[in-house]
Amino acid sequence: MAGHDILDIVKKRNPHEPEFLQAAEEVIASILPVLEKNPQYGKLKILERMLEPERLITFRVTWLDDKGEVQVNRGYRVQMNSAIGPYKGGLRFHPSVNASVLKFLAFEQVFKNALTGIPMGGGKGGSDFDPKGKTENEIMKFCQAFMVELSKHIGHRLDVPAGDIGVGGREIGYMFGAYKKLRNEFTGVLTGKGIGWGGSLIRTEATGYGLIYFAENMLQEKKDTIKGKTCLVSGSGNVAQYSMEKIIQLGGKVVSASDSSGFIYDEAGITQERLEFLKELKNVRRGRIKEYADKFKGVVFTTDDPKADHNPLWNIKADCAFPCATQNEINEKDAKNLVKNGIKVLGEGANMPTTIEGINVLIDAGVMYSPGKASNAGGVATSGLEMTQNYMGSNWTREEVDAKLVGIMKEIHATCLSAAKEYGKPGNYMVGANIAGFLKVAKAMQAQGVI
Ligand code: NDP
């Protein structure tokens, strides 16, 4: 079956799901040469099967706010593919969450998890609950109510969720506590747990650190390094903070950060000291990014303009760009601006932050572009290491986990390059990641029969 036929089927089946269709379109185009070379996968409809979730659970979450009023949200878990291991993937709490967003994330997760080399299937979940402006008590109440239903569908050998946008250590703690109480068992059912109750060292840092390790691997291909490079980072949450930290440690200069209200431009560079202020602002006080510009002289804050056709953040001159906020934050115009300003590397920390048109601009211009499913895989890989430590009942040191993370990112980088080369697209990390992830899952699905 040709690529457009598969896409037509997926479009017909998921007519109102633009994010899911975008993720599907990108992958289908890359996989066509694999289907030509391996007709058995076409016959077994492996790709069509991968595009249909094994299970999609939606449920009502009812909870009482601080005023005693009843609140109703919708909860989800998408169990996308379990061919190579238990479902694994984060939970997102954000008002934009719907089936389309979670299916795109779960689909990407299947490929990403396969690339890590750790036996994990793919899933994703969350809720349209908006944590902004909620009290500590309301966050806890919501997490507990959410887990009352989710606990029926997950388990440490079945489906192991983690964090994502709006779900960090605090929320994982409340959900883990609720699961333990409901099921009367202490198991590694969630990752991103606190140190001292089953968490792994480096898990908090892993996605951001891994992203920059991946970028270093890309630069090394050109006998270059991140040292001395000016870097744009978007977002100011978990992934953004630890990407910035690793760039600073490796001698690069970070000049931007953002949240959903706008972005700051710190021309002098965000130092470790200023980063500590940002962490406290976002993780403890949960304030807005403008406060950073109010605090430090010479920093410019620009408000987000949702009607603009481009984001001025991506029009700042830099060598490297690391989008670490959310999907579709770099469109075609943004990509053209980056290219015009001489960008060398674009490493995706967020999932699908670049539109298909934007990706084409970057690749055509020879920018070293890495898709999130490869370059942000350090987070889930370290979640996999957390699961292993939980199964073994032991803890590895910070140095041990970091060394494993460095090795995993190096391996993913090499896997992408070799698959891209084998299929005639040398240096194309997107094609390489899609093909290598697909082949690993396809082989397992073939072996396990038509189920
Ligand atoms: P956080 O919730 O910690 O931070 C998200 C950041 O992005 C915040 O600065 C937030 O701003 C901003 N943001 C969120 N939604 C929007 C939006 N619609 N428009 C503009 N800004 C927005 O999330 P993470 O750092 O964990 O996740 C960031 C990205 O990385 C996501 O795409 C996620 O899927 C991906 N990712 C995360 C992993 C992890 O381990 N956490 C692993 C792999 C990928 P504000 O504060 O205003 O909400």
Side-chain angles (χ1 to χ4, degrees):
M1 196 181 284
H4 54 84
D5 293 337
I6 301 177
L7 188 60
D8 282 349
I9 293 171
V10 182
K11 277 185 179 162
K12 228 181 237 165
R13 197 172 271 158
N14 309 279
H16 307 295
E17 301 191 347
E19 293 86 1
F20 178 56
L21 292 175
Q22 182 183 336
E25 191 176 344
E26 181 213 293
V27 168
I28 292 169
S30 307
I31 300 304
L32 291 182
V34 184
L35 297 183
E36 264 167 42
K37 205 169 160 185
N38 304 275
Q40 75 276 18
Y41 295 144
K43 203 160 164 260
L44 288 168
K45 302 214 166 130
I46 297 286
L47 189 53
E48 289 95 312
R49 281 154 66 184
M50 284 174 72
L51 283 156
E52 188 61 28
E54 288 178 10
R55 198 172 295 109
L56 192 160
I57 301 147
T58 68
F59 50 92
R60 186 180 67 203
V61 185
T62 318
W63 56 283
L64 277 178
D65 68 17
D66 285 354
K67 293 191 210 104
E69 280 174 27
V70 176
Q71 297 289 337
V72 183
N73 285 100
R74 186 174 289 173
Y76 300 85
R77 187 69 183 163
V78 184
Q79 296 180 334
M80 199 74 189
N81 194 300
S82 61
I84 64 166
Y87 307 106
K88 179 91 197 93
L91 296 169
R92 178 176 290 192
F93 291 169
H94 194 272
S96 64
V97 162
N98 57 35
S100 172
V101 167
L102 293 179
K103 278 166 69 181
F104 115 65
L105 288 163
F107 182 62
E108 295 253 312
Q109 196 81 43
V110 174
F111 291 76
K112 183 187 312 194
N113 294 3
L115 286 171
T116 65
I118 299 171
M120 299 180 289
K124 202 85 188 187
S127 172
D128 58 2
F129 171 74
D130 186 358
K132 276 204 190 76
K134 302 290 188 298
T135 64
E136 277 289 324
N137 185 49
E138 288 173 331
I139 298 280
M140 185 173 73
K141 287 257 194 64
F142 176 79
C143 288
Q144 291 171 340
F146 181 76
M147 191 47 96
V148 166
E149 185 62 31
L150 187 71
S151 63
K152 297 171 189 165
H153 309 287
I154 60 174
H156 75 135
R157 300 276 185 187
L158 167 68
D159 183 354
V160 184
D164 191 80
I165 291 177
V167 178
R170 172 181 66 167
E171 292 75 16
I172 292 290
Y174 292 147
M175 285 191 275
F176 184 78
Y179 183 89
K180 191 160 59 69
K181 178 97 178 164
L182 286 160
R183 306 298 293 234
N184 203 22
E185 61 179 35
F186 194 113
T187 53
V189 68
L190 296 168
T191 57
K193 300 183 290 299
I195 307 304
W197 46 279
S200 172
L201 289 160
I202 299 282
R203 174 61 191 93
T204 307
E205 297 89 335
T207 310
Y209 279 17
L211 168 65
I212 305 307
Y213 293 149
F214 195 95
E216 266 298 70
N217 279 299
M218 290 202 289
L219 282 159
Q220 274 163 17
E221 285 294 306
K222 310 262 170 185
K223 309 265 174 288
D224 206 347
T225 159
I226 206 154
K227 192 171 179 187
K229 298 275 184 300
T230 300
C231 302
L232 300 175
V233 175
S234 67
S236 49
N238 172 272
V239 181
Q241 290 170 16
Y242 290 98
S243 302
M244 293 182 199
E245 186 160 287
K246 191 47 77 180
I247 294 169
I248 296 167
Q249 284 172 9
L250 295 177
K253 179 169 138 182
V254 182
V255 294
S256 69
S258 72
D259 66 13
S260 51
S261 64
F263 72 91
I264 58 104
Y265 174 44
D266 187 345
E267 196 180 358
I270 299 176
T271 56
Q272 185 65 39
E273 197 188 336
R274 290 184 177 198
L275 179 58
E276 292 308 324
F277 171 82
L278 187 68
K279 284 186 191 172
E280 199 265 337
L281 170 67
K282 297 308 282 188
N283 307 348
V284 183
R285 287 192 287 123
R286 299 181 192 269
R288 310 309 290 151
I289 195 87
K290 183 175 179 299
E291 278 190 51
Y292 182 101
D294 295 339
K295 166 102 179 158
F296 301 112
K297 263 208 179 104
V299 178
V300 181
F301 171 73
T302 306
T303 312
D304 199 25
D305 176 5
K307 283 197 221 101
D309 65 350
H310 72 288
N311 183 347
L313 162 56
W314 306 118
N315 202 11
I316 299 169
K317 193 167 170 47
D319 305 300
C320 308
F322 299 104
C324 296
T326 192
Q327 62 270 13
N328 291 330
E329 44 172 322
I330 297 182
N331 63 20
E332 188 176 7
K333 181 109 194 265
D334 296 317
K336 283 183 177 159
N337 283 336
L338 287 165
V339 168
K340 175 192 75 189
N341 288 324
I343 205 84
K344 291 182 181 65
V345 168
L346 189 138
E348 293 186 342
N351 286 309
M352 207 171 73
T354 318
T355 62
I356 293 181
E357 298 78 20
I359 296 172
N360 290 337
V361 168
L362 297 168
I363 292 179
D364 289 349
V367 173
M368 284 185 277
Y369 160 77
S370 64
K373 57 171 85 74
S375 49
N376 72 29
V380 73
T382 309
S383 275
L385 300 177
E386 181 174 330
M387 286 164 73
T388 307
Q389 291 170 80
N390 291 167
Y391 293 147
M392 289 165 44
S394 65
N395 298 308
W396 294 326
T397 64
R398 201 180 157 80
E399 290 70 28
E400 277 173 299
V401 181
D402 195 36
K404 286 184 201 296
L405 176 62
V406 168
I408 290 169
M409 296 317 292
K410 195 172 173 177
E411 200 55 42
I412 296 175
H413 176 265
T415 302
C416 291
L417 277 189
S418 105
K421 193 168 169 208
E422 189 186 336
Y423 282 87
K425 298 269 182 191
N428 187 325
Y429 291 90
M430 178 187 71
V431 167
N434 288 338
I435 291 178
F438 174 80
L439 282 172
K440 173 133 196 218
V441 178
K443 280 177 198 152
M445 287 176 74
Q446 182 181 10
Q448 290 168 25
V450 179
I451 49 165

